[in-house]
Amino acid sequence: MLPNEVERAVSRYLSVADRLVPGRIRGFYVVGSVALGAWQAGRSDIDFVAALDGDLGERDLRRLSLLHKAGNVPAAWQALVRARPAIPGTLNGVFVAAGDLGEPVTRIRPVASHSGSSFKRGRGFEANPVVWKVLLEKGVTVRGPAPEELGLDPEPGKLREWNLRQLHGHFTTWADRALSSRPPRKPLQPAHRVALATVLSPPRLHHTIVTGEVISKEAAAEYALDTFEARWHPLIRLALARRLGRPAPAGGDASLADRRALPRLVGEFMREVIASAGSVV
């Protein structure tokens, strides 16, 4: 079952899709925080995998690009009304040819994908062992056969390797930037907020490397508190509170009040998580 707000957003999105690319979307599956039971109204995006029927020409691809804008108008409007730099409730996902769903996931070349303001042709990060594992085990079917009937191959033997590559690639680069004089930023979001929003991602990947299971970022916070040294606990609790939209925990570490120093602290924590993951046998 989908939360009511998710069901309405998905229904609107597919209604627009069926007008722009009629008959093309034969399968539509909700993954991400919704599938993991961690979706939060007014805070979370809605992630999906869509199966497309037939070959798409240039006109169809242009319409898929338009779908990302037209299908997400309500979420964008709410963000504008509330003066938020982020747009919670946005549908982000990957489009895959229905005939390719039975291929090993790392061999699938997506038709397109869109996330945030970005629309990409022939690419899609979401076609990976983590998302495919969630799709197969917990994906919510909105349209089409159930995930277990699709012949999906999440390539479980590559799950650990894929997560390690993410840590040693993307997140190592992120940590290096956080430790520099020019930490990562996003439009309308200061560096300390961007840093806090990233704290829970590496522990989430660490958990999958250790256990083979995929969890939400909220669950990753609890895992991190159990796994990493107590000196990191105030940072983890602050990141969790911000993710849940709650006030900062009382009695937190005074060093967290220095916004300019916060990205560096997050970078140091990431480096420890990455080093720990690399030592897991």
Side-chain angles (χ1 to χ4, degrees):
M1 297 291 292
L2 294 172
N4 290 336
E5 289 188 38
V6 175
E7 187 172 8
R8 288 194 295 270
V10 169
S11 178
R12 286 193 300 263
Y13 184 89
L14 286 176
S15 177
V16 175
D18 290 339
R19 292 196 297 272
L20 290 174
V21 283
R24 294 293 192 166
I25 297 183
R26 293 300 180 91
F28 194 91
Y29 306 91
V30 179
V31 290
S33 60
V34 175
L36 293 172
W39 189 82
Q40 301 175 61
R43 303 194 68 82
S44 301
D45 294 337
I46 302 167
D47 300 314
F48 69 83
V49 174
L52 297 173
D53 187 39
D55 295 329
L56 272 67
E58 179 63 27
R59 177 174 176 270
D60 292 319
L61 287 170
R62 287 199 302 268
R63 290 188 168 218
L64 277 186
S65 177
L66 177 60
L67 170 61
H68 185 46
K69 302 176 181 68
N72 283 307
V73 165
W77 174 249
Q78 286 296 320
L80 181 63
V81 168
R82 298 173 184 176
R84 289 183 175 177
I87 307 179
T90 301
L91 278 92
N92 296 312
V94 63
F95 298 91
V96 177
D100 289 346
L101 285 173
E103 295 291 323
V105 65
T106 59
R107 297 184 193 172
I108 294 175
R109 183 172 185 250
V111 175
S113 65
H114 56 215
S115 177
S117 60
S118 173
F119 178 82
K120 298 176 181 178
R121 299 182 179 199
R123 290 186 292 160
F125 172 79
E126 296 83 359
N128 64 60
V130 169
V131 173
W132 250 234
K133 177 179 173 65
V134 174
L135 172 60
L136 178 60
E137 297 178 357
K138 300 179 180 180
V140 181
T141 304
V142 178
R143 179 181 294 181
E148 60 267 22
E149 299 173 16
L150 297 174
L152 300 172
D153 181 4
E155 297 187 272
K158 293 186 177 181
L159 185 65
R160 180 178 185 275
E161 173 194 346
W162 188 88
N163 280 277
L164 279 171
R165 282 206 309 270
Q166 292 301 305
L167 286 177
H168 289 298
H170 172 76
F171 285 105
T172 293
T173 299
W174 201 102
D176 289 345
R177 288 186 60 197
L179 291 164
S180 75
S181 60
R182 296 173 64 93
R185 297 175 181 271
K186 290 183 179 181
L188 304 179
Q189 294 191 57
H192 74 277
R193 288 190 181 178
V194 174
L196 275 178
T198 314
V199 169
L200 302 179
S201 293
R204 186 185 185 196
L205 273 62
H206 189 287
H207 178 275
T208 300
I209 290 165
V210 172
T211 69
E213 297 302 320
V214 180
I215 58 174
S216 67
K217 289 182 180 178
E218 290 79 2
E222 299 303 320
Y223 172 75
L225 290 171
D226 290 337
T227 305
F228 299 102
E229 295 179 2
R231 66 192 178 105
W232 300 117
H233 291 186
L235 175 64
I236 296 166
R237 291 192 177 100
L238 177 59
L240 178 60
R242 290 295 172 84
R243 180 164 180 81
L244 296 175
R246 297 174 181 170
D253 191 326
S255 65
L256 298 178
D258 185 350
R259 294 181 175 182
R260 290 175 297 179
L262 196 54
R264 174 170 289 275
L265 185 64
V266 173
E268 292 171 354
F269 173 63
M270 279 191 182
R271 282 190 171 177
E272 180 160 319
V273 175
I274 293 166
S276 172
S279 68
V280 174
V281 179

